[in-house]
Amino acid sequence: DSGVTQTPKHLITATGQRVTLRCSPRSGDLSVYWYQQSLDQGLQFLIQYYNGEERAKGNILERFSAQQFPDLHSELNLSSLELGDSALYFCASSAAGGKEKLFFGSGTQLSVL
Amino acid sequence: DQQVKQNSPSLSVQEGRISILNCDYTNSMFDYFLWYKKYPAEGPTFLISISSIKDKNEDGRFTVFLNKSAKHLSLHIVPSQPGDSAVYFCAATVDNDMRFGAGTRLTVKP
């Protein structure tokens, strides 16, 4: 158990809809990362937050947004969903967000039908 | 924008032999490299890392080698065990940006 909790584990929705994925980092970790893993693809970095502030941005679509709340949990919002958004979304956390190892949650499997 | 590449999608080795997983990167600013292991239905877990100021780091059966001039790193597992069967991701980081490769699926046959 990595200590990172992601909910829900599975999500099935239709095109055009909006969903919210939730992540609770390990106790004490200030940094949260979001990654997307599509079929046969690696982990695509989406965005990183540190202590409530956006710190780094990767290949995140404009239809996607995220935030980190004062209690350090984070949410990833995906809107106007398309079939190609179907993927496994991972959240990871680290203490400070530098070069240290990340602790990953088990992921949320999103299926857009 | 694949700054970290794992060109072998899969690798199969016999139990007890050496497994060598390779990773190439394009961004010369990367200064820290990590390997993660992922089992089905689980998130990736950290395995081993190396700083760009070193060329080798060893932890038990796992050794990571870094060749900065070639922008190449490799993970050696000796001896390989069936429990090592998993997907291995190479990652590279600079500042707050950690990029991952596509992963290599390792199968260790008994």
mmCIF file with all atom_site columns, all heavy atoms in Angstrom, chain A residues 5-30:
data_model
loop_
_atom_site.group_PDB
_atom_site.id
_atom_site.type_symbol
_atom_site.label_atom_id
_atom_site.label_alt_id
_atom_site.label_comp_id
_atom_site.label_asym_id
_atom_site.label_entity_id
_atom_site.label_seq_id
_atom_site.pdbx_PDB_ins_code
_atom_site.Cartn_x
_atom_site.Cartn_y
_atom_site.Cartn_z
_atom_site.occupancy
_atom_site.B_iso_or_equiv
_atom_site.pdbx_formal_charge
_atom_site.auth_seq_id
_atom_site.auth_comp_id
_atom_site.auth_asym_id
_atom_site.auth_atom_id
_atom_site.pdbx_PDB_model_num
ATOM 1   N N   . THR A 1 5  ? -4.368  7.401  -2.161  1.00 0.00 ? 5  THR A N   1
ATOM 2   C CA  . THR A 1 5  ? -5.707  6.878  -2.416  1.00 0.00 ? 5  THR A CA  1
ATOM 3   C C   . THR A 1 5  ? -6.355  7.603  -3.583  1.00 0.00 ? 5  THR A C   1
ATOM 4   O O   . THR A 1 5  ? -6.397  8.840  -3.606  1.00 0.00 ? 5  THR A O   1
ATOM 5   C CB  . THR A 1 5  ? -6.596  7.049  -1.175  1.00 0.00 ? 5  THR A CB  1
ATOM 6   O OG1 . THR A 1 5  ? -5.971  6.415  -0.060  1.00 0.00 ? 5  THR A OG1 1
ATOM 7   C CG2 . THR A 1 5  ? -7.965  6.413  -1.407  1.00 0.00 ? 5  THR A CG2 1
ATOM 8   N N   . GLN A 1 6  ? -6.833  6.812  -4.537  1.00 0.00 ? 6  GLN A N   1
ATOM 9   C CA  . GLN A 1 6  ? -7.520  7.382  -5.681  1.00 0.00 ? 6  GLN A CA  1
ATOM 10  C C   . GLN A 1 6  ? -8.944  6.842  -5.729  1.00 0.00 ? 6  GLN A C   1
ATOM 11  O O   . GLN A 1 6  ? -9.166  5.644  -5.564  1.00 0.00 ? 6  GLN A O   1
ATOM 12  C CB  . GLN A 1 6  ? -6.822  7.020  -6.989  1.00 0.00 ? 6  GLN A CB  1
ATOM 13  C CG  . GLN A 1 6  ? -5.543  7.778  -7.228  1.00 0.00 ? 6  GLN A CG  1
ATOM 14  C CD  . GLN A 1 6  ? -4.995  7.523  -8.616  1.00 0.00 ? 6  GLN A CD  1
ATOM 15  O OE1 . GLN A 1 6  ? -3.973  6.862  -8.786  1.00 0.00 ? 6  GLN A OE1 1
ATOM 16  N NE2 . GLN A 1 6  ? -5.658  8.091  -9.620  1.00 0.00 ? 6  GLN A NE2 1
ATOM 17  N N   . THR A 1 7  ? -9.889  7.742  -5.990  1.00 0.00 ? 7  THR A N   1
ATOM 18  C CA  . THR A 1 7  ? -11.280 7.322  -6.164  1.00 0.00 ? 7  THR A CA  1
ATOM 19  C C   . THR A 1 7  ? -11.898 8.056  -7.345  1.00 0.00 ? 7  THR A C   1
ATOM 20  O O   . THR A 1 7  ? -11.511 9.189  -7.651  1.00 0.00 ? 7  THR A O   1
ATOM 21  C CB  . THR A 1 7  ? -12.117 7.631  -4.899  1.00 0.00 ? 7  THR A CB  1
ATOM 22  O OG1 . THR A 1 7  ? -12.025 9.023  -4.599  1.00 0.00 ? 7  THR A OG1 1
ATOM 23  C CG2 . THR A 1 7  ? -11.653 6.809  -3.717  1.00 0.00 ? 7  THR A CG2 1
ATOM 24  N N   . PRO A 1 8  ? -12.834 7.433  -8.076  1.00 0.00 ? 8  PRO A N   1
ATOM 25  C CA  . PRO A 1 8  ? -13.182 6.021  -7.955  1.00 0.00 ? 8  PRO A CA  1
ATOM 26  C C   . PRO A 1 8  ? -12.152 5.138  -8.653  1.00 0.00 ? 8  PRO A C   1
ATOM 27  O O   . PRO A 1 8  ? -11.269 5.644  -9.338  1.00 0.00 ? 8  PRO A O   1
ATOM 28  C CB  . PRO A 1 8  ? -14.532 5.953  -8.676  1.00 0.00 ? 8  PRO A CB  1
ATOM 29  C CG  . PRO A 1 8  ? -14.410 6.991  -9.753  1.00 0.00 ? 8  PRO A CG  1
ATOM 30  C CD  . PRO A 1 8  ? -13.593 8.107  -9.154  1.00 0.00 ? 8  PRO A CD  1
ATOM 31  N N   . LYS A 1 9  ? -12.232 3.854  -8.497  1.00 0.00 ? 9  LYS A N   1
ATOM 32  C CA  . LYS A 1 9  ? -11.319 2.936  -9.186  1.00 0.00 ? 9  LYS A CA  1
ATOM 33  C C   . LYS A 1 9  ? -11.710 2.775  -10.647 1.00 0.00 ? 9  LYS A C   1
ATOM 34  O O   . LYS A 1 9  ? -10.848 2.599  -11.512 1.00 0.00 ? 9  LYS A O   1
ATOM 35  C CB  . LYS A 1 9  ? -11.324 1.570  -8.502  1.00 0.00 ? 9  LYS A CB  1
ATOM 36  C CG  . LYS A 1 9  ? -10.667 1.569  -7.130  1.00 0.00 ? 9  LYS A CG  1
ATOM 37  C CD  . LYS A 1 9  ? -10.426 0.152  -6.656  1.00 0.00 ? 9  LYS A CD  1
ATOM 38  C CE  . LYS A 1 9  ? -9.800  0.138  -5.276  1.00 0.00 ? 9  LYS A CE  1
ATOM 39  N NZ  . LYS A 1 9  ? -8.525  0.869  -5.245  1.00 0.00 ? 9  LYS A NZ  1
ATOM 40  N N   . HIS A 1 10 ? -12.996 2.807  -10.899 1.00 0.00 ? 10 HIS A N   1
ATOM 41  C CA  . HIS A 1 10 ? -13.503 2.665  -12.264 1.00 0.00 ? 10 HIS A CA  1
ATOM 42  C C   . HIS A 1 10 ? -14.573 3.721  -12.495 1.00 0.00 ? 10 HIS A C   1
ATOM 43  O O   . HIS A 1 10 ? -15.338 4.049  -11.589 1.00 0.00 ? 10 HIS A O   1
ATOM 44  C CB  . HIS A 1 10 ? -14.119 1.283  -12.489 1.00 0.00 ? 10 HIS A CB  1
ATOM 45  C CG  . HIS A 1 10 ? -13.173 0.152  -12.231 1.00 0.00 ? 10 HIS A CG  1
ATOM 46  N ND1 . HIS A 1 10 ? -12.269 -0.293 -13.159 1.00 0.00 ? 10 HIS A ND1 1
ATOM 47  C CD2 . HIS A 1 10 ? -12.989 -0.611 -11.129 1.00 0.00 ? 10 HIS A CD2 1
ATOM 48  C CE1 . HIS A 1 10 ? -11.569 -1.292 -12.647 1.00 0.00 ? 10 HIS A CE1 1
ATOM 49  N NE2 . HIS A 1 10 ? -11.980 -1.503 -11.417 1.00 0.00 ? 10 HIS A NE2 1
ATOM 50  N N   . LEU A 1 11 ? -14.598 4.210  -13.729 1.00 0.00 ? 11 LEU A N   1
ATOM 51  C CA  . LEU A 1 11 ? -15.584 5.222  -14.092 1.00 0.00 ? 11 LEU A CA  1
ATOM 52  C C   . LEU A 1 11 ? -15.979 4.995  -15.546 1.00 0.00 ? 11 LEU A C   1
ATOM 53  O O   . LEU A 1 11 ? -15.114 4.922  -16.420 1.00 0.00 ? 11 LEU A O   1
ATOM 54  C CB  . LEU A 1 11 ? -14.958 6.604  -13.917 1.00 0.00 ? 11 LEU A CB  1
ATOM 55  C CG  . LEU A 1 11 ? -15.836 7.843  -13.828 1.00 0.00 ? 11 LEU A CG  1
ATOM 56  C CD1 . LEU A 1 11 ? -16.943 7.664  -12.812 1.00 0.00 ? 11 LEU A CD1 1
ATOM 57  C CD2 . LEU A 1 11 ? -14.972 9.041  -13.462 1.00 0.00 ? 11 LEU A CD2 1
ATOM 58  N N   . ILE A 1 12 ? -17.269 4.848  -15.771 1.00 0.00 ? 12 ILE A N   1
ATOM 59  C CA  . ILE A 1 12 ? -17.783 4.674  -17.128 1.00 0.00 ? 12 ILE A CA  1
ATOM 60  C C   . ILE A 1 12 ? -18.735 5.822  -17.408 1.00 0.00 ? 12 ILE A C   1
ATOM 61  O O   . ILE A 1 12 ? -19.649 6.074  -16.623 1.00 0.00 ? 12 ILE A O   1
ATOM 62  C CB  . ILE A 1 12 ? -18.514 3.328  -17.283 1.00 0.00 ? 12 ILE A CB  1
ATOM 63  C CG1 . ILE A 1 12 ? -17.562 2.173  -16.973 1.00 0.00 ? 12 ILE A CG1 1
ATOM 64  C CG2 . ILE A 1 12 ? -19.053 3.185  -18.707 1.00 0.00 ? 12 ILE A CG2 1
ATOM 65  C CD1 . ILE A 1 12 ? -18.247 0.812  -16.957 1.00 0.00 ? 12 ILE A CD1 1
ATOM 66  N N   . THR A 1 13 ? -18.491 6.506  -18.525 1.00 0.00 ? 13 THR A N   1
ATOM 67  C CA  . THR A 1 13 ? -19.315 7.659  -18.829 1.00 0.00 ? 13 THR A CA  1
ATOM 68  C C   . THR A 1 13 ? -19.452 7.785  -20.342 1.00 0.00 ? 13 THR A C   1
ATOM 69  O O   . THR A 1 13 ? -18.901 6.984  -21.096 1.00 0.00 ? 13 THR A O   1
ATOM 70  C CB  . THR A 1 13 ? -18.716 8.931  -18.217 1.00 0.00 ? 13 THR A CB  1
ATOM 71  O OG1 . THR A 1 13 ? -19.627 10.014 -18.381 1.00 0.00 ? 13 THR A OG1 1
ATOM 72  C CG2 . THR A 1 13 ? -17.399 9.277  -18.883 1.00 0.00 ? 13 THR A CG2 1
ATOM 73  N N   . ALA A 1 14 ? -20.182 8.770  -20.769 1.00 0.00 ? 14 ALA A N   1
ATOM 74  C CA  . ALA A 1 14 ? -20.452 8.947  -22.198 1.00 0.00 ? 14 ALA A CA  1
ATOM 75  C C   . ALA A 1 14 ? -19.686 10.149 -22.736 1.00 0.00 ? 14 ALA A C   1
ATOM 76  O O   . ALA A 1 14 ? -19.251 11.030 -21.977 1.00 0.00 ? 14 ALA A O   1
ATOM 77  C CB  . ALA A 1 14 ? -21.949 9.128  -22.421 1.00 0.00 ? 14 ALA A CB  1
ATOM 78  N N   . THR A 1 15 ? -19.534 10.194 -24.041 1.00 0.00 ? 15 THR A N   1
ATOM 79  C CA  . THR A 1 15 ? -18.874 11.333 -24.669 1.00 0.00 ? 15 THR A CA  1
ATOM 80  C C   . THR A 1 15 ? -19.624 12.620 -24.351 1.00 0.00 ? 15 THR A C   1
ATOM 81  O O   . THR A 1 15 ? -20.853 12.620 -24.198 1.00 0.00 ? 15 THR A O   1
ATOM 82  C CB  . THR A 1 15 ? -18.790 11.169 -26.195 1.00 0.00 ? 15 THR A CB  1
ATOM 83  O OG1 . THR A 1 15 ? -20.123 10.950 -26.694 1.00 0.00 ? 15 THR A OG1 1
ATOM 84  C CG2 . THR A 1 15 ? -17.909 9.989  -26.572 1.00 0.00 ? 15 THR A CG2 1
ATOM 85  N N   . GLY A 1 16 ? -18.863 13.688 -24.186 1.00 0.00 ? 16 GLY A N   1
ATOM 86  C CA  . GLY A 1 16 ? -19.435 14.985 -23.878 1.00 0.00 ? 16 GLY A CA  1
ATOM 87  C C   . GLY A 1 16 ? -19.640 15.252 -22.403 1.00 0.00 ? 16 GLY A C   1
ATOM 88  O O   . GLY A 1 16 ? -19.903 16.390 -22.017 1.00 0.00 ? 16 GLY A O   1
ATOM 89  N N   . GLN A 1 17 ? -19.509 14.222 -21.603 1.00 0.00 ? 17 GLN A N   1
ATOM 90  C CA  . GLN A 1 17 ? -19.746 14.378 -20.165 1.00 0.00 ? 17 GLN A CA  1
ATOM 91  C C   . GLN A 1 17 ? -18.514 14.933 -19.449 1.00 0.00 ? 17 GLN A C   1
ATOM 92  O O   . GLN A 1 17 ? -17.434 15.103 -20.037 1.00 0.00 ? 17 GLN A O   1
ATOM 93  C CB  . GLN A 1 17 ? -20.131 13.028 -19.540 1.00 0.00 ? 17 GLN A CB  1
ATOM 94  C CG  . GLN A 1 17 ? -21.458 12.482 -20.041 1.00 0.00 ? 17 GLN A CG  1
ATOM 95  C CD  . GLN A 1 17 ? -22.601 13.403 -19.685 1.00 0.00 ? 17 GLN A CD  1
ATOM 96  O OE1 . GLN A 1 17 ? -22.831 13.751 -18.524 1.00 0.00 ? 17 GLN A OE1 1
ATOM 97  N NE2 . GLN A 1 17 ? -23.339 13.831 -20.707 1.00 0.00 ? 17 GLN A NE2 1
ATOM 98  N N   . ARG A 1 18 ? -18.692 15.210 -18.155 1.00 0.00 ? 18 ARG A N   1
ATOM 99  C CA  . ARG A 1 18 ? -17.628 15.741 -17.306 1.00 0.00 ? 18 ARG A CA  1
ATOM 100 C C   . ARG A 1 18 ? -17.482 14.834 -16.097 1.00 0.00 ? 18 ARG A C   1
ATOM 101 O O   . ARG A 1 18 ? -18.485 14.409 -15.521 1.00 0.00 ? 18 ARG A O   1
ATOM 102 C CB  . ARG A 1 18 ? -17.981 17.158 -16.871 1.00 0.00 ? 18 ARG A CB  1
ATOM 103 C CG  . ARG A 1 18 ? -16.949 17.837 -15.998 1.00 0.00 ? 18 ARG A CG  1
ATOM 104 C CD  . ARG A 1 18 ? -17.421 19.256 -15.644 1.00 0.00 ? 18 ARG A CD  1
ATOM 105 N NE  . ARG A 1 18 ? -16.398 20.035 -14.958 1.00 0.00 ? 18 ARG A NE  1
ATOM 106 C CZ  . ARG A 1 18 ? -16.199 20.003 -13.644 1.00 0.00 ? 18 ARG A CZ  1
ATOM 107 N NH1 . ARG A 1 18 ? -16.939 19.230 -12.874 1.00 0.00 ? 18 ARG A NH1 1
ATOM 108 N NH2 . ARG A 1 18 ? -15.252 20.738 -13.101 1.00 0.00 ? 18 ARG A NH2 1
ATOM 109 N N   . VAL A 1 19 ? -16.239 14.547 -15.725 1.00 0.00 ? 19 VAL A N   1
ATOM 110 C CA  . VAL A 1 19 ? -15.993 13.709 -14.550 1.00 0.00 ? 19 VAL A CA  1
ATOM 111 C C   . VAL A 1 19 ? -14.922 14.341 -13.673 1.00 0.00 ? 19 VAL A C   1
ATOM 112 O O   . VAL A 1 19 ? -14.132 15.170 -14.130 1.00 0.00 ? 19 VAL A O   1
ATOM 113 C CB  . VAL A 1 19 ? -15.557 12.274 -14.941 1.00 0.00 ? 19 VAL A CB  1
ATOM 114 C CG1 . VAL A 1 19 ? -16.663 11.559 -15.716 1.00 0.00 ? 19 VAL A CG1 1
ATOM 115 C CG2 . VAL A 1 19 ? -14.255 12.291 -15.722 1.00 0.00 ? 19 VAL A CG2 1
ATOM 116 N N   . THR A 1 20 ? -14.902 13.920 -12.422 1.00 0.00 ? 20 THR A N   1
ATOM 117 C CA  . THR A 1 20 ? -13.881 14.378 -11.479 1.00 0.00 ? 20 THR A CA  1
ATOM 118 C C   . THR A 1 20 ? -13.220 13.181 -10.832 1.00 0.00 ? 20 THR A C   1
ATOM 119 O O   . THR A 1 20 ? -13.899 12.303 -10.288 1.00 0.00 ? 20 THR A O   1
ATOM 120 C CB  . THR A 1 20 ? -14.514 15.269 -10.392 1.00 0.00 ? 20 THR A CB  1
ATOM 121 O OG1 . THR A 1 20 ? -15.065 16.436 -11.000 1.00 0.00 ? 20 THR A OG1 1
ATOM 122 C CG2 . THR A 1 20 ? -13.454 15.690 -9.375  1.00 0.00 ? 20 THR A CG2 1
ATOM 123 N N   . LEU A 1 21 ? -11.901 13.163 -10.917 1.00 0.00 ? 21 LEU A N   1
ATOM 124 C CA  . LEU A 1 21 ? -11.117 12.114 -10.276 1.00 0.00 ? 21 LEU A CA  1
ATOM 125 C C   . LEU A 1 21 ? -10.480 12.715 -9.035  1.00 0.00 ? 21 LEU A C   1
ATOM 126 O O   . LEU A 1 21 ? -9.988  13.848 -9.052  1.00 0.00 ? 21 LEU A O   1
ATOM 127 C CB  . LEU A 1 21 ? -10.018 11.602 -11.226 1.00 0.00 ? 21 LEU A CB  1
ATOM 128 C CG  . LEU A 1 21 ? -10.450 11.269 -12.648 1.00 0.00 ? 21 LEU A CG  1
ATOM 129 C CD1 . LEU A 1 21 ? -9.265  10.694 -13.423 1.00 0.00 ? 21 LEU A CD1 1
ATOM 130 C CD2 . LEU A 1 21 ? -11.614 10.317 -12.668 1.00 0.00 ? 21 LEU A CD2 1
ATOM 131 N N   . ARG A 1 22 ? -10.433 11.905 -7.971  1.00 0.00 ? 22 ARG A N   1
ATOM 132 C CA  . ARG A 1 22 ? -9.948  12.418 -6.695  1.00 0.00 ? 22 ARG A CA  1
ATOM 133 C C   . ARG A 1 22 ? -8.710  11.672 -6.234  1.00 0.00 ? 22 ARG A C   1
ATOM 134 O O   . ARG A 1 22 ? -8.607  10.458 -6.458  1.00 0.00 ? 22 ARG A O   1
ATOM 135 C CB  . ARG A 1 22 ? -11.048 12.298 -5.651  1.00 0.00 ? 22 ARG A CB  1
ATOM 136 C CG  . ARG A 1 22 ? -10.697 12.875 -4.286  1.00 0.00 ? 22 ARG A CG  1
ATOM 137 C CD  . ARG A 1 22 ? -11.761 12.531 -3.264  1.00 0.00 ? 22 ARG A CD  1
ATOM 138 N NE  . ARG A 1 22 ? -11.309 12.841 -1.910  1.00 0.00 ? 22 ARG A NE  1
ATOM 139 C CZ  . ARG A 1 22 ? -11.603 13.956 -1.259  1.00 0.00 ? 22 ARG A CZ  1
ATOM 140 N NH1 . ARG A 1 22 ? -12.385 14.861 -1.813  1.00 0.00 ? 22 ARG A NH1 1
ATOM 141 N NH2 . ARG A 1 22 ? -11.137 14.161 -0.036  1.00 0.00 ? 22 ARG A NH2 1
ATOM 142 N N   . CYS A 1 23 ? -7.836  12.398 -5.564  1.00 0.00 ? 23 CYS A N   1
ATOM 143 C CA  . CYS A 1 23 ? -6.590  11.807 -5.076  1.00 0.00 ? 23 CYS A CA  1
ATOM 144 C C   . CYS A 1 23 ? -6.268  12.357 -3.700  1.00 0.00 ? 23 CYS A C   1
ATOM 145 O O   . CYS A 1 23 ? -6.262  13.570 -3.489  1.00 0.00 ? 23 CYS A O   1
ATOM 146 C CB  . CYS A 1 23 ? -5.452  12.125 -6.043  1.00 0.00 ? 23 CYS A CB  1
ATOM 147 S SG  . CYS A 1 23 ? -3.804  11.701 -5.426  1.00 0.00 ? 23 CYS A SG  1
ATOM 148 N N   . SER A 1 24 ? -5.975  11.439 -2.779  1.00 0.00 ? 24 SER A N   1
ATOM 149 C CA  . SER A 1 24 ? -5.473  11.828 -1.465  1.00 0.00 ? 24 SER A CA  1
ATOM 150 C C   . SER A 1 24 ? -4.024  11.381 -1.369  1.00 0.00 ? 24 SER A C   1
ATOM 151 O O   . SER A 1 24 ? -3.735  10.183 -1.479  1.00 0.00 ? 24 SER A O   1
ATOM 152 C CB  . SER A 1 24 ? -6.301  11.177 -0.351  1.00 0.00 ? 24 SER A CB  1
ATOM 153 O OG  . SER A 1 24 ? -7.609  11.687 -0.354  1.00 0.00 ? 24 SER A OG  1
ATOM 154 N N   . PRO A 1 25 ? -3.091  12.300 -1.197  1.00 0.00 ? 25 PRO A N   1
ATOM 155 C CA  . PRO A 1 25 ? -1.675  11.925 -1.160  1.00 0.00 ? 25 PRO A CA  1
ATOM 156 C C   . PRO A 1 25 ? -1.312  11.233 0.150   1.00 0.00 ? 25 PRO A C   1
ATOM 157 O O   . PRO A 1 25 ? -2.116  11.170 1.072   1.00 0.00 ? 25 PRO A O   1
ATOM 158 C CB  . PRO A 1 25 ? -0.965  13.276 -1.269  1.00 0.00 ? 25 PRO A CB  1
ATOM 159 C CG  . PRO A 1 25 ? -1.919  14.254 -0.669  1.00 0.00 ? 25 PRO A CG  1
ATOM 160 C CD  . PRO A 1 25 ? -3.289  13.748 -1.015  1.00 0.00 ? 25 PRO A CD  1
ATOM 161 N N   . ARG A 1 26 ? -0.114  10.709 0.194   1.00 0.00 ? 26 ARG A N   1
ATOM 162 C CA  . ARG A 1 26 ? 0.411   10.136 1.432   1.00 0.00 ? 26 ARG A CA  1
ATOM 163 C C   . ARG A 1 26 ? 0.422   11.211 2.506   1.00 0.00 ? 26 ARG A C   1
ATOM 164 O O   . ARG A 1 26 ? 0.638   12.388 2.209   1.00 0.00 ? 26 ARG A O   1
ATOM 165 C CB  . ARG A 1 26 ? 1.845   9.645  1.238   1.00 0.00 ? 26 ARG A CB  1
ATOM 166 C CG  . ARG A 1 26 ? 2.030   8.379  0.500   1.00 0.00 ? 26 ARG A CG  1
ATOM 167 C CD  . ARG A 1 26 ? 3.475   7.892  0.621   1.00 0.00 ? 26 ARG A CD  1
ATOM 168 N NE  . ARG A 1 26 ? 4.455   8.975  0.662   1.00 0.00 ? 26 ARG A NE  1
ATOM 169 C CZ  . ARG A 1 26 ? 5.653   8.860  1.197   1.00 0.00 ? 26 ARG A CZ  1
ATOM 170 N NH1 . ARG A 1 26 ? 6.022   7.726  1.774   1.00 0.00 ? 26 ARG A NH1 1
ATOM 171 N NH2 . ARG A 1 26 ? 6.495   9.874  1.167   1.00 0.00 ? 26 ARG A NH2 1
ATOM 172 N N   . SER A 1 27 ? 0.261   10.788 3.739   1.00 0.00 ? 27 SER A N   1
ATOM 173 C CA  . SER A 1 27 ? 0.279   11.729 4.843   1.00 0.00 ? 27 SER A CA  1
ATOM 174 C C   . SER A 1 27 ? 1.614   12.487 4.866   1.00 0.00 ? 27 SER A C   1
ATOM 175 O O   . SER A 1 27 ? 2.682   11.866 4.832   1.00 0.00 ? 27 SER A O   1
ATOM 176 C CB  . SER A 1 27 ? 0.096   10.968 6.163   1.00 0.00 ? 27 SER A CB  1
ATOM 177 O OG  . SER A 1 27 ? 0.175   11.839 7.258   1.00 0.00 ? 27 SER A OG  1
ATOM 178 N N   . GLY A 1 28 ? 1.530   13.792 4.866   1.00 0.00 ? 28 GLY A N   1
ATOM 179 C CA  . GLY A 1 28 ? 2.736   14.605 4.922   1.00 0.00 ? 28 GLY A CA  1
ATOM 180 C C   . GLY A 1 28 ? 3.291   15.023 3.569   1.00 0.00 ? 28 GLY A C   1
ATOM 181 O O   . GLY A 1 28 ? 4.126   15.932 3.501   1.00 0.00 ? 28 GLY A O   1
ATOM 182 N N   . ASP A 1 29 ? 2.865   14.365 2.494   1.00 0.00 ? 29 ASP A N   1
ATOM 183 C CA  . ASP A 1 29 ? 3.369   14.748 1.171   1.00 0.00 ? 29 ASP A CA  1
ATOM 184 C C   . ASP A 1 29 ? 2.691   16.025 0.696   1.00 0.00 ? 29 ASP A C   1
ATOM 185 O O   . ASP A 1 29 ? 1.469   16.153 0.772   1.00 0.00 ? 29 ASP A O   1
ATOM 186 C CB  . ASP A 1 29 ? 3.130   13.631 0.151   1.00 0.00 ? 29 ASP A CB  1
ATOM 187 C CG  . ASP A 1 29 ? 4.124   12.496 0.286   1.00 0.00 ? 29 ASP A CG  1
ATOM 188 O OD1 . ASP A 1 29 ? 5.030   12.600 1.146   1.00 0.00 ? 29 ASP A OD1 1
ATOM 189 O OD2 . ASP A 1 29 ? 4.002   11.511 -0.459  1.00 0.00 ? 29 ASP A OD2 1
ATOM 190 N N   . LEU A 1 30 ? 3.481   16.946 0.177   1.00 0.00 ? 30 LEU A N   1
ATOM 191 C CA  . LEU A 1 30 ? 2.952   18.233 -0.262  1.00 0.00 ? 30 LEU A CA  1
ATOM 192 C C   . LEU A 1 30 ? 2.721   18.291 -1.763  1.00 0.00 ? 30 LEU A C   1
ATOM 193 O O   . LEU A 1 30 ? 2.016   19.156 -2.257  1.00 0.00 ? 30 LEU A O   1
ATOM 194 C CB  . LEU A 1 30 ? 3.916   19.353 0.134   1.00 0.00 ? 30 LEU A CB  1
ATOM 195 C CG  . LEU A 1 30 ? 4.165   19.539 1.637   1.00 0.00 ? 30 LEU A CG  1
ATOM 196 C CD1 . LEU A 1 30 ? 5.187   20.663 1.858   1.00 0.00 ? 30 LEU A CD1 1
ATOM 197 C CD2 . LEU A 1 30 ? 2.872   19.845 2.378   1.00 0.00 ? 30 LEU A CD2 1
#
